[in-house]
Structures are given as structure tokens and as C-alpha cells.
Amino acid sequence: MGPVEECCVKTQVAIIGGGPSGLLLAQLLQTRGIDSVVLERKTKAHVLSRIRAGVLERGLVGLLEEAGCADRLHAEGFTHDGTLLSYGDEMFRVDFAAHTGTPVVVYGQTEVTRDLYAAREASGGPIAFEVEDVRIEGADGPTPSVIYSQGGQMRRVDCDFIAGCDGFHGVSRQAIPLDQRQEYEKVYPFGWLGILSETPPVNDELIYANSERGFALCSMRNANLSRYYIQCSLSDSPEDWTDEGFWEELKRRIPADQAAKLVTGPSIEKSIAPLRSFVCAPMRWGRLFLCGDAAHIVPPTGAKGLNTAASDVHYLHRALTRFYETGESDGIESYSTDALARVWKTQRFSWWFSSLMHRYPDQSAFDLHMQVAELEHLRSNQAAQKAMAENYVGLPY
Ligand SMILES: Cc1cc2nc3c(=O)[nH]c(=O)nc-3n(C[C@H](O)[C@H](O)[C@H](O)COP(=O)(O)OP(=O)(O)OC[C@H]3O[C@@H](n4cnc5c(N)ncnc54)[C@H](O)[C@@H]3O)c2cc1C
């Protein structure tokens, strides 16, 4: 049975994707009186069940404040003034607050998304869930629209602009003709096996560990919810790893004094994420703007995925607000250039930090010495620490 009827609504901005980029953009536009419709492929419960990022840059915190969605973040988030890096049993701290005057905030992406949904619902802004067969039409002309089906019925949103916030596997990037876009990609020869456990974190700040057995990261969501990762083979699947096997491997990769105080327990989530660097350019095609993972992916070392999505939202909502409030389209014209300038710098940092901390299958003895030399330089050199801190807390928009 095909679709039976076509319903049409009109809005200013059609937003494809109800993840953090789409919802944050919708709320920021709403505060300036700009209407939007959000289209999400999954259910709300599914979106809220995804365990992903957890470290927020100052810029993202500022955007959440501007959107009126930061009360719980300020009440429940944890301020981190620095982070620890280890190699073997050596460990040192990079002090973000001392070098930049700014901390980062640990608050899960799930909670960010929950707060954004609550704000969207409270403001009565429309969200359509479980949309299918989403298609973009007329983005290179003056009257774009998004066609989709929901519950067997075809629907259409006519709009001024389309924000493609539908993640790496969405339809928005594919809507830009192949000869109009360039894609740049680096695939890393390993993944991250992550678990979430209801145990107190091993340390009150994150520990990034370079060990001869591979990378590990000790992170957290709150005082009794820990997130740990270990570098794993791309051929592994989560079922290959028992909880006991994971804990034993993690203990071998972090300094002995940390391993000795690690509290273990059953995992409540276990997953593997492959590591990839990816950029699509340009990020605008006519009246279609790509935002967040739809346009770029970073390896998670350095926690830049969600934060870079937020910086796109910053540029896009400024451009659209300027257009609707003054009629000026210069921000729209320069959106792709502005967003990409910061994206590439964040790509560089994520690539550098990933290269510094992981074991690569083809690494030579010379390469290993270079990693140690760089870590020791970072340990002993305040200028190097400042450069890392500036990138970690987030480059200015
Ligand atoms: C497994 C995993 C772990 C991660 N861990 C970290 C981390 O530790 N630190 C970090 O900084 N970053 C991490 N990231 C990256 C971070 O989560 C993303 O950068 C962030 O979610 C980007 O937000 P987004 O809204 O742009 O995209 P997404 O969160 O992917 O949201 C896109 C939304 O669009 C919807 N959608 C897709 N296709 C369509 C369609 N055709 N129509 C309508 N809706 C559609 C999707 O269902 C989804 O809800 C991780 C990512 C993954 C996948």
C-alpha cells in the first residue's frame, strides 16, 4: 500500500534530525521567534537511550544557557579543571583552568538531549518522530521543501531553509550533488570498546592512557556512573568481551596505583565505536545547511564530536537570526567557510591526540619513541600544555 494523502505545513526552518544539533538549533531559533519543524527518524526513547559524548566545552555550555536549557547542567554537571595523561606507570596533569581560565563540564549527551527535548515540548515546538523516506527538494532554489512519510501518510514541509542535522548516516549530505561536494576521510585501524557501569569513577578527572597494550580512557557521567574505554580490534564485537575480561584489560593499561583502586561492577551498556576522521565540504548547498555529524566526524579522543556539532549550530543560528532580523544574508553566504575553519582545527586536534595515545599495527620502534618524546615534551613544557588546554576547552567561535 502506498501513501494515501499528502499533508503540508509551512515553517521557516525545516530541521532534519532530532539529535543534539537539531534540537539545539531549534531551541536557539525559538528564543529569537524563528519557527522550525524537527523531523526525527527514531522514537524519542531511542534517541535518549544512545550513550555517547560526555565532555562539554565552554562554547556548548554557553549555547545551552542561551537556549534556556542549562539549569540541570549547572546543578548536576561536574566541572573539571584538568585532565590526566599516562604512559606506562608515568602520569601527569594538564591544568585547563590554570592555562586558559576555563574548565570543561562533564554532563552526558543523553542528559543534554533530554533537557533540549523538555524545552522543545514546553515551548510547543513541533517534532515529528518515526519519519521515513525523508527527501529534500528544491534546496538549490528559492522554495525548498522536505517530503517524508509518517504512519503511511506522505507529508511535506515547505520552508525557507533546511538544516541537515541528521548525523553521518542521514540523507542531507547525500542530497548535495556529488560534483558539488568533496569528502575527506581517514579511517583508523582500531575501535573503542566502551562500557558504562554503576560504579564510582576511578579518579575525579579523566585519565587518557597510552600503554603498550593500547589506549584506555577512564571517564565518568556522575559520582556513581563510570564510562571506560579500551582500544580494541575492528574485528571484535561487544559479545567477545565479558565484563571481567574488560576490567582485567583496563587494569593492565592504566598506572598500577589507579588499577589498584578501580572499583569494578557489571556493565549496563557495552558497545564498540570505530574511529574515523571525516569532513564534507562545503557545508552549504543553496538553502540546505549541514550541521554536526552530517558534515563531519572526529575520533572521540579529545571529546570533540558533540562540541564541534555545537559550533556549527552557533554559526548557523547566528546566520539565520541575522537574516530574519535584518534581511542580511552575509552570515548565510559565509556559513560553510566559517564553520569549516573551526572544523578543520578540531580535526587537527582530534587527529593529533589520537595519534599520540593509540597503538597502531604498523608502528615502528622509531614511531614509539616519538610518542614517548612527545608525551615527555607535553609533560615538561608549559607552552605545549597551554596549546593542548586551549584546544581541549574549546577554541573560540
Ligand atoms: C557510538 C558513539 C560514541 C560517541 N562518543 C562520543 C564521545 O565520547 N565524545 C564526543 O565528543 N563525541 C562522541 N560521539 C560523537 C557525538 O555523539 C556526535 O558528534 C553527536 O551526537 C553529533 O550530534 P548530531 O545531532 O550532529 O548527530 P546525531 O547525534 O547522530 O543525531 C542525528 C539524528 O538524526 C536522526 N536521523 C538520521 N537520519 C535521519 C533521517 N533521514 N530523517 C530524520 N532523522 C534522521 C538520527 O536518528 C539522530 O537522532 C560518539 C558518537 C557515537 C556514534
Side-chain angles (χ1 to χ4, degrees):
M1 284 280 285
V4 289
E5 193 181 328
E6 188 170 289
C7 300
C8 180
V9 295
K10 175 100 183 86
T11 191
Q12 289 171 302
V13 184
I15 299 176
I16 306 176
S21 307
L23 290 171
L24 179 58
L25 178 65
Q27 281 321 105
L28 288 165
L29 293 175
Q30 173 98 23
T31 62
R32 309 302 282 258
I34 301 165
D35 291 336
S36 63
V37 169
V38 177
L39 306 174
E40 168 54 49
R41 190 179 51 173
K42 302 286 187 182
T43 62
K44 178 176 154 189
H46 179 91
V47 176
L48 292 179
S49 70
R50 293 193 294 229
I51 308 296
R52 290 185 172 179
V55 177
L56 313 190
E57 290 178 356
R58 56 187 165 182
L60 172 51
V61 172
L63 290 172
L64 289 165
E65 286 167 349
E66 199 177 331
C69 299
D71 290 351
R72 206 158 65 89
L73 177 154
H74 287 309
E76 298 176 19
F78 291 84
T79 295
H80 282 202
D81 284 335
T83 194
L84 293 152
L85 277 75
S86 76
Y87 52 111
D89 274 333
E90 301 291 326
M91 189 155 80
F92 64 98
R93 181 167 184 267
V94 177
D95 191 325
F96 306 143
H99 287 296
T100 69
T102 310
V104 289
V105 175
V106 171
Y107 188 68
Q109 176 171 334
T110 314
E111 304 310 313
V112 171
T113 314
R114 193 182 300 281
D115 296 344
L116 287 165
Y117 268 117
R120 183 75 179 165
E121 284 160 6
S123 68
I127 311 180
F129 289 103
E130 297 183 84
V131 302
E132 295 176 300
D133 309 319
V134 177
R135 199 169 82 238
I136 291 170
E137 284 192 355
D140 54 343
T143 54
S145 55
V146 182
I147 322 280
Y148 64 98
S149 68
Q150 192 185 34
Q153 192 169 46
M154 283 299 277
R155 294 172 187 268
R156 196 173 89 234
V157 182
D158 290 336
C159 53
D160 301 330
F161 300 103
I162 300 170
C165 303
D166 47 353
F168 185 67
H169 300 288
V171 296
S172 300
R173 188 176 66 254
Q174 311 301 338
I176 304 178
L178 267 175
D179 62 357
Q180 305 277 322
R181 67 181 142 100
Q182 189 85 39
E183 296 187 346
Y184 306 86
E185 185 173 44
K186 177 177 173 64
V187 176
Y188 296 79
F190 41 73
W192 278 17
L193 169 66
I195 69 161
L196 193 67
S197 71
E198 288 171 326
T199 51
V202 67
N203 187 60
D204 56 5
E205 292 178 341
L206 274 65
I207 303 174
Y208 289 89
N210 172 324
S211 94
E212 63 182 17
R213 299 180 66 89
F215 170 78
L217 171 60
C218 305
S219 183
M220 71 287 288
R221 293 294 180 266
N222 63 43
N224 198 42
L225 193 58
S226 296
R227 183 80 169 147
Y228 294 104
Y229 297 95
I230 54 174
Q231 176 183 346
C232 67
S233 163
L234 281 174
S235 58
D236 285 4
S237 71
E239 298 74 46
D240 297 337
W241 286 86
T242 62
D243 288 354
E244 294 69 29
F246 179 91
W247 292 120
E248 283 313 307
E249 187 58 34
L250 176 64
K251 284 181 188 171
R252 290 189 197 109
R253 297 187 187 194
I254 59 179
D257 57 338
Q258 299 297 321
K261 64 186 174 89
L262 180 73
V263 179
T264 64
S267 63
I268 56 172
E269 195 265 355
K270 195 186 286 169
S271 53
I272 291 182
L275 269 67
R276 180 200 306 270
S277 302
F278 173 87
V279 177
C280 169
M283 287 172 59
R284 168 180 158 245
W285 182 58
R287 288 176 172 251
L288 167 66
F289 305 92
L290 301 183
C291 208
D293 280 16
H296 43 74
I297 299 284
V298 286
T301 334
K304 291 293 166 224
L306 176 61
N307 291 305
T308 311
S311 86
D312 297 347
V313 172
H314 161 85
Y315 293 113
L316 185 52
H317 106 89
R318 289 281 188 280
L320 292 172
T321 302
R322 183 164 160 77
F323 175 79
Y324 283 112
E325 291 182 354
T326 70
E328 297 293 337
S329 57
D330 51 343
I332 285 172
E333 301 296 333
S334 67
Y335 167 71
S336 179
T337 311
D338 296 343
L340 280 168
R342 194 174 184 281
V343 164
W344 279 115
K345 288 179 199 151
T346 329
Q347 288 285 351
R348 185 207 67 82
F349 176 69
S350 305
W351 160 82
W352 167 79
F353 201 21
S354 298
S355 308
L356 181 64
M357 300 307 290
H358 290 81
R359 288 296 150 122
Y360 289 71
D362 58 353
Q363 236 167 352
S364 67
F366 180 85
D367 296 333
L368 292 171
H369 273 288
M370 287 301 98
Q371 274 192 343
V372 173
E374 183 138 12
L375 282 160
E376 291 186 343
H377 174 65
L378 188 57
R379 178 181 199 154
S380 60
N381 186 290
Q382 292 301 307
Q385 289 196 10
K386 185 172 165 60
M388 181 186 169
E390 283 172 347
N391 280 274
Y392 200 96
V393 304
L395 297 172
Y397 292 153

